[in-house]
Amino acid sequence: MDQTLLSLPLQAIPKPQNIQFKNFVMTRLWTLTVLETRLLVDLWEPLSVGNRSQNALKLAINSVLCVLDRSGLNSNGQKLKFYRSLSVCLFAVWTYKYGVIDACEVTRLCSRQDMSQSQPLVSKRISIAWPPLVPHHENTDTLVLTGASYFIDVRILHNKDAEGRDVLDWGIAGIKEKLGDEQGNSKAKWSHILNSRKAIDPSNGKPIGNAEDLADVGSMTVLDNGDVLETGSMFNPEQGRVMEYEEVWRDLDVPAGSPVCIVENEWTDEIAEKTFIGRIGKWQLGLSAKVVRNKEGITSQTRYSGWRDEQESSGKWNRIYEFGQSEHRPSRLPDKLEELSWKESEVVQWEGQNWMVRELFWT
């Protein structure tokens, strides 16, 4: 590691308008992070405090070191994301040392920084099977946007309804969590904040159901052609029961420097609609659940709506499909996200509503 970067004279620093400036800043941040981490490991013994469990500290440091040992960290975007995750881990270690947070909080913070979850994905489903009853086939247009941890998954049937309108097969949005590796295969859990197969609780905008109903778990295996085979168990609406399934996914190319943004609106009784909107590169997805009340103000049903857009190289957005109706759902995220004052994990005012910026970064 080039430690001379830490003591460069002022005149050696490129000017902001210089194309080398960003490279210089990112390299220096990366160098500082690595050196700070190595120093932390060297000071491991002095960090021991009383009878506190050291497992949390070890998890934090190991989380950092496993990142440093990974290869392919060549782009500025990768280094920026890794630097942010490393900073969270280091912060957890030091605040734990001084008694600000407990071991459980360290574990939660550091586990969320798993680098395998920080790479955004745009995934298209190639096929689904319910072995041995139903062989591999594809009757939907399915696209999933997955950020560092949040996802939006919308599946539209190939066959339109009698009036020529797009029909939703399944729409879900929520949080993806890596559960670990088993026999060389990665395992993940998708917890649903929106689920078009569930009604919405009008008191809080959350889907009605127990934890098992509102999550699914799958194991992923990379196939020889680069596609991913996902296996697990989930509800089969055609059979009316939980069954083992297989899905084949293909990850689409997300160029370096692509924006990643996922927002969730705040639930209010007045609007009574929960919405997720996401963008990764040239793809955007929107999914909304609207609580419909009768004249007496009693909830009668939940209606889902949404859309998918794709951007041409010219910058023009094209609507690929749209289903349902919404009075409050915005059409799409703003084009130039970098010109907004939005920040990740903050609430912003947009289109007359409060929105939580769940994720906002560039690849």
Side-chain angles (χ1 to χ4, degrees), residues 208-223:
I208 299 173
N210 56 44
E212 290 73 21
D213 291 337
L214 300 174
D216 55 276
V217 176
S219 297
M220 275 68 67
T221 304
V222 179
L223 303 177

Side-chain angles (χ1 to χ4, degrees), residues 7 99 101 157 172 261 278 326:
S7 57
I101 60 176
L157 293 174
I172 50 178
C261 183
S326 170

Side-chain angles (χ1 to χ4, degrees), residues 70 73 78 81-82 115-121 146-148 361:
R70 291 175 69 95
L73 308 182
Q78 286 177 319
K81 286 183 290 183
F82 287 133
M115 296 301 102
S116 63
Q117 295 190 75
S118 23
Q119 303 302 317
L121 294 174
T146 306
F361 60 93

Side-chain angles (χ1 to χ4, degrees), residues 78 119-124 126 143-146 226-227 249-260 279-284 310-311 363:
Q78 286 177 319
Q119 303 302 317
L121 294 174
V122 178
S123 307
K124 178 180 178 61
I126 303 302
L143 191 77
V144 183
L145 303 183
T146 306
D227 290 347
W249 298 91
R250 182 168 298 162
D251 293 336
L252 306 181
D253 182 49
V254 180
S258 298
V260 178
R279 176 186 177 183
I280 298 181
K282 67 176 185 178
W283 295 273
Q284 288 205 39
E310 290 189 16
Q311 189 178 35
T363 60

